[in-house]
Amino acid sequence: MAFQLSPEQTREADEIIARYPTKRAACLPLLWLCQRQTGWTNDEVIAFVAEKLELSTAAVKGVVTFYTMFHEKKVAPNVVWVCRTLSCELRGAKAVQEHMEKRFGCSAGGTSTDGKFTLLKAECLAACGQAPMIQVNDDYYEDLTIEKLDAVLDQIAAKTPEGK
Amino acid sequence: MSNSFSPVLTKRYGIEGSETLAVAEKHGVYTVARRALTEMTPDQLKDEVKKGSIRGRGGAGFPAGVKWGFLNPGPDNQVYLVVNGDESEPGTFKDRTIMVKDPHRLLEGCLIACKAIGAHKCWIYVRGELAHAIKVLDKAIAEARAKGYIGATPFGTDYPIDIYTHSGAGAYICGEETALLNSLEGRRGEPRLKPPFPAIKGVFDQPTIVNNIETIAQVPDIIEMGGDAWAAMSRLGPADGGSRLYGISGHVKRPGVYEAPVGITMRQLIDEYGGGMLNDERPLKGVIPGGSSTPVLRPDRLVDAPAEDHPLHAWHGKSEIDVPMGVETYRALGTMLGTCCAIVMDTSVNMVDVARNLMRFYGHESCGQCTPCREGSGWLVDLLDHMAEGKGKDTDTQLLADVANNMMGNTICAFAEGTAMPMLGLIRQFTDEFTEAAKNGTGAGRMDDSALALIGAAP
Ligand SMILES: Cc1cc2nc3c(=O)[nH]c(=O)nc-3n(C[C@H](O)[C@H](O)[C@H](O)COP(=O)(O)O)c2cc1C
Ligand code: SF4
Ligand code: FES
C-alpha cells in the first residue's frame, strides 16, 4: 500500500517545506517524519517523499543511503545504539556491548530473540563525559553500570508488546 | 588557580528550569538581544565581536569577527546564518550542554548574530542523534516566537528574524561546514570544494556564515560585557579571548564539561577540573587534547624551544601538558586545540589499540569522494588490525606513516588531515609501542581495564 501521512502530519510537512527556499531542502525533515511513523524508511516512504518534493526516487534513495539513522531494513520497536568510540571504550563500552549481546541473544547488527530490541554499533554520540552510554530510540542512557543497563532494558522491555 | 574567574557562559546551567523562557528571562537572557536589535548597528556589533577576539569553537579556531568581515553580499543576495550543532568529533560533548541547559541564550546569540551579519534566517543544524536537544530547542523557539522575540518584529523592530532547527541523520562528515550545507539543502552530506567559501556562496547559493554553537552562544556575553572586557578573561592575551568550554573524558575521576578562561593548562584541566586520574596507581600516559583529530600529547615529553623568539620559549624544558591551551600555543606544540575536549588515557592503554579505535572511526566516516581519504583510511584500519592481532611486519610502522602522509593535502576537505594527523602523532609520540606491536601484537586489545570494576563488569 502506498505510504500516506495523516492530515495533521500533512499540515506539519507543508509547514516544514515552507521554511526553506527550495523544496528539496525538506528532504531530511520529511524522511524523519515518515520514519517516525513507519519505524523504517522503505521504498514506499522514498517514493512518497520523492513525489511530495518533486525529486526522483534515486535522489531520495541516495540521501537515505548516506545517513546511518535512516533504517533501510525493518528494525525492532527499540533500536539500541551502543557507542564504542574511544572515550566510551576507555570506560567499558565493550563490556556493555558484550552484556547486551548475551542478554539479547544476538550480536551487534541483529535483533533480540524476543523481537523487542535491535542492537547497533554507534560512533561517538557526544556524551563522552558520561561514558559508557547507549542510545535507545530518542533517549540517552549515560554513566552506565551493568546493573543500571539491565534496569533500563528491563523497563523498556516491559513497555514493549511481544511479537516480531 | 581558577580563583578570580566566575563562569559567564555557564552561569545559568545549574538553575532549575533555565530552558524555559520565563526562568531564562528572569536571569537576564534576551536583555542583550533587545539592546542589540533596538539600539546597536551591525557595525557596532561586529566591532565588539572583533574586539572579543573569539576564536571559533568548532575546531579550526578561526576568529569569528574576521569571518563575519568576509561577507560582501550583493543587492540580490540573502545572507544566512547557519549554526553548527553537529558535534560529532569523538571526545566532544560540549555544545549539547548549551542546547539543553541554556537554549534561550543560544537563541539570543542567533538573534544578535543575524542582526550583525545582515541575516533574516538562521538554521541550527543539530546531529540527528541529539533528538532530545532538538526538542528542547524547538520548544524554546516556539516560546520566543510566541513572545515576539523571533518572527516578523523582534522586540518591536522591523527586522524580521526566523530561526529553525534542522536535524541531521547520522554522519560525522556533516560537521564539516560545506557538507553541512549540502545536508541542509536535502542532499548527501558530501563536502564541497572551497573556494568559494560559504561567506561568498553558501547555502542555497547565498552568502552564509557558519559558526559553531558555542561561538554563537558566547556572542551575547561579548556584547553584554563589551569585547575588550570579555577578551580580557583569557590568560593568553588579545589574540585568543574570553572563556570557553573544556570537556574532559576518559581516565579521570570527574569527566564533564567545565567553563574556564582560555589558556589554562592541560595539567590544570586534568587535576583541578577532572579531579585527577581515575586510578591513582595508573598515571597519565597520553592525552588527546581537542577531539580525536588532534595529535596526542605526552606528559613526559618536554617542550624544546631554546630560541628566544620561539612562541613556546617561555615553557622551554617544561612538560607539554604545562603549556597554556590556546589556538596558537597548541599549533606551535605540533598539535591543535580543536574542540578543546580532551581524552585522557592512563598507563593501562596501548596506543596501537587507541589508533585502531580511532582509525576505525575515520574509516567508517569517510564520505568516499576522494581516493586518498577513502582508500587511505581503510588501509590504516587494515594495517592496525594486523598489527594488533600479532600479524604485523617490521615495515608496518613506516607503512602506516607513509599512508597517512599521502592522505594529506590531496583532498576536498580537512577530514583526511584530521585522520592522518592523529595517526602520525601517535606514531611520533609512541614509536616504540608501534614497533613492539608490529612484532608481537597488542595482546587482549581491551582498553577498559581501569574502568571495569567501576561499572560492575567482570574483569
Ligand atoms: C571533518 C570535519 C568535521 C567537523 N565537525 C564539526 C562539528 O561537528 N561541529 C562544528 O562546529 N564544527 C565542525 N567542523 C568545523 C566546521 O567545518 C567549521 O569550521 C565550524 O563549524 C565553523 O564554526 P566556528 O568558526 O565557530 O568554529 C568540522 C570540520 C571538519 C573538517
Ligand atoms: S577528504 Fe574524505 S571526507 Fe573529505 S570530501 Fe574527501 S573523501 Fe570526503
Ligand atoms: S565516545 Fe562515546 S559518546 Fe563520545
Side-chain angles (χ1 to χ4, degrees):
Chain A
M1 211 183 73
F3 177 86
Q4 285 298 338
L5 290 176
S6 69
E8 193 185 320
Q9 286 172 320
T10 304
R11 262 196 307 280
E12 190 180 343
D14 292 336
E15 193 266 324
I16 289 170
I17 294 168
R19 291 176 187 177
Y20 300 94
T22 66
K23 274 196 158 183
R24 178 175 193 140
C27 191
L28 268 68
L30 284 205
L31 286 168
W32 271 121
L33 194 68
C34 299
Q35 181 168 291
R36 282 188 198 286
Q37 184 189 309
T38 54
W40 62 303
T41 299
N42 54 31
D43 286 346
E44 284 84 52
V45 165
I46 291 171
F48 173 84
V49 171
E51 195 188 317
K52 184 100 185 153
L53 299 180
E54 294 164 31
L55 295 168
S56 67
T57 49
V60 178
K61 182 111 187 160
V63 170
V64 169
T65 55
F66 188 82
Y67 300 93
T68 55
M69 295 185 81
F70 294 130
H71 303 300
E72 293 165 70
K73 285 190 297 200
K74 219 171 157 113
V75 288
N78 302 297
V79 177
V80 183
W81 296 93
V82 54
C83 174
R84 64 332 184 355
T85 314
L86 187 57
S87 303
C88 281
E89 188 156 349
L90 292 169
R91 301 285 293 215
K94 243 186 197 159
V96 165
Q97 181 183 330
E98 286 160 359
H99 183 78
M100 286 194 290
E101 289 178 334
K102 224 186 298 154
R103 181 184 161 124
F104 292 156
C106 70
S107 47
T111 290
S112 61
T113 45
D114 65 3
K116 293 183 179 182
F117 296 92
T118 294
L119 179 62
L120 298 174
K121 291 192 266 191
E123 297 294 356
C124 181
L125 291 169
C128 326
Q130 291 81 38
M133 62 82 65
I134 58 170
Q135 176 178 11
V136 186
N137 303 327
D138 281 353
D139 298 314
Y140 279 22
Y141 299 91
E142 304 172 330
D143 293 314
L144 291 174
T145 60
I146 298 299
E147 202 185 327
K148 191 168 160 190
L149 174 66
D150 272 329
V152 164
L153 296 174
D154 284 346
Q155 210 182 27
I156 296 170
K159 281 192 297 197
T160 310
E162 288 288 340
K164 285 246 165 195
Chain B
M1 296 255 191
S2 29
N3 41 20
S4 65
F5 175 74
S6 53
V8 178
L9 177 63
T10 56
K11 67 174 175 247
R12 280 168 299 270
Y13 269 28
I15 296 170
E16 176 109 27
S18 63
E19 74 283 359
T20 64
L21 189 124
V23 175
E25 256 196 311
K26 209 164 89 198
H27 290 90
V29 178
Y30 291 116
T31 52
V32 193
R34 185 186 301 273
R35 184 155 63 83
L37 265 72
T38 58
E39 295 170 23
M40 295 176 74
T41 65
D43 283 341
Q44 286 172 324
L45 293 169
K46 278 188 284 200
D47 225 40
E48 292 306 325
V49 171
K50 232 185 223 157
K51 282 191 213 150
S53 56
I54 176 169
R55 310 295 293 252
R57 303 309 196 213
F62 197 80
V66 176
K67 189 191 281 186
W68 292 9
F70 290 155
L71 283 171
N72 186 18
D76 297 332
N77 283 142
Q78 166 86 260
V79 177
Y80 292 120
L81 175 65
V82 173
V83 186
N84 189 342
D86 197 59
E87 183 136 275
S88 320
E89 172 83 0
T92 308
F93 53 107
K94 63 184 182 69
D95 296 335
R96 181 184 160 214
T97 64
I98 299 173
M99 296 187 257
V100 173
K101 296 186 184 192
D102 205 359
H104 286 286
R105 191 62 161 185
L106 173 62
L107 297 181
E108 183 171 28
C110 296
L111 289 167
I112 300 170
C114 276
K115 167 89 186 238
I117 65 173
H120 293 282
K121 240 183 206 191
C122 163
W123 278 284
I124 306 174
Y125 182 104
V126 185
R127 64 181 294 180
E129 292 88 345
L130 292 178
H132 175 65
I134 296 173
K135 270 182 226 160
V136 174
L137 276 175
D138 281 341
K139 209 162 155 224
I141 291 171
E143 273 189 295
R145 196 184 296 280
K147 193 94 192 242
Y149 298 168
I150 296 173
T153 56
F155 308 103
T157 63
D158 57 0
Y159 191 89
I161 299 176
D162 268 321
I163 304 176
Y164 301 107
T165 59
H166 185 99
S167 171
Y172 163 71
I173 193 59
C174 288
E176 197 281 334
E177 57 187 8
T178 60
L180 185 149
L181 299 181
N182 272 338
S183 184
L184 186 53
E185 288 183 6
R187 300 171 197 280
R188 294 163 69 86
E190 286 162 346
R192 303 173 181 173
L193 267 174
K194 289 192 270 195
F197 288 91
I200 305 303
K201 191 174 169 192
V203 77
F204 308 117
D205 292 340
Q206 299 299 314
T208 304
I209 290 294
V210 183
N211 273 129
N212 171 260
I213 293 267
E214 183 185 349
T215 310
I216 293 296
Q218 292 197 295
V219 166
D221 295 327
I222 298 174
I223 304 300
E224 186 167 18
M225 295 172 68
D228 291 329
W230 189 86
M233 287 190 292
S234 162
R235 298 185 181 166
L236 278 179
D240 193 345
S243 66
R244 65 183 298 161
L245 296 181
Y246 293 77
I248 185 161
S249 68
H251 291 149
V252 288
K253 289 199 176 68
R254 284 198 309 266
V257 174
Y258 303 95
E259 183 183 354
V262 168
I264 65 166
T265 67
M266 183 61 78
R267 193 185 298 281
Q268 286 176 302
L269 179 62
I270 294 172
D271 291 343
E272 294 173 28
Y273 294 87
M277 296 303 289
L278 183 63
N279 182 328
D280 296 326
E281 318 275 279
R282 291 174 172 171
L284 176 67
K285 178 166 176 177
V287 52
I288 297 172
S292 60
S293 302
T294 61
V296 65
L297 299 175
R298 321 176 39 149
D300 55 355
R301 179 82 38 133
L302 306 183
V303 176
D304 181 30
E308 274 180 29
D309 59 350
H310 193 287
L312 299 182
H313 181 67
W315 298 279
H316 175 63
K318 288 196 174 163
S319 162
E320 290 189 334
I321 67 167
D322 288 318
V323 173
M325 300 171 72
V327 175
E328 305 302 343
T329 49
Y330 265 39
R331 196 168 289 156
L333 205 50
T335 184
M336 277 176 68
L337 188 58
T339 60
C340 208
C341 286
I343 308 173
V344 176
M345 296 167 287
D346 70 22
T347 47
S348 68
V349 171
N350 183 304
M351 290 297 165
V352 178
D353 290 330
V354 169
R356 196 180 177 200
N357 181 293
L358 292 181
M359 294 308 129
R360 185 208 60 218
F361 168 83
Y362 289 105
H364 184 258
E365 298 295 332
S366 166
C367 88
Q369 286 189 103
C370 319
T371 311
C373 174
R374 183 186 63 240
E375 301 300 322
S377 58
W379 293 339
L380 293 176
V381 176
D382 290 347
L383 280 165
L384 288 161
D385 282 351
H386 274 120
M387 254 186 174
E389 287 159 10
K391 293 182 246 161
K393 293 204 229 31
D394 291 350
T395 46
D396 279 357
T397 307
Q398 188 55 46
L399 193 53
L400 277 172
D402 289 346
V403 171
N405 273 314
N406 280 313
M407 290 175 69
M408 309 239 275
N410 293 317
T411 55
I412 295 175
C413 88
F415 177 101
E417 272 91 22
T419 307
M421 282 186 322
M423 185 65 245
L424 292 168
L426 282 163
I427 297 174
R428 188 172 62 242
Q429 298 273 45
F430 297 95
T431 314
D432 294 353
E433 214 149 298
F434 282 85
T435 314
E436 165 61 24
K439 274 206 201 89
N440 299 316
T442 61
R446 285 193 85 102
M447 285 188 276
D448 47 8
D449 202 33
S450 293
L452 283 180
L454 207 67
I455 66 163

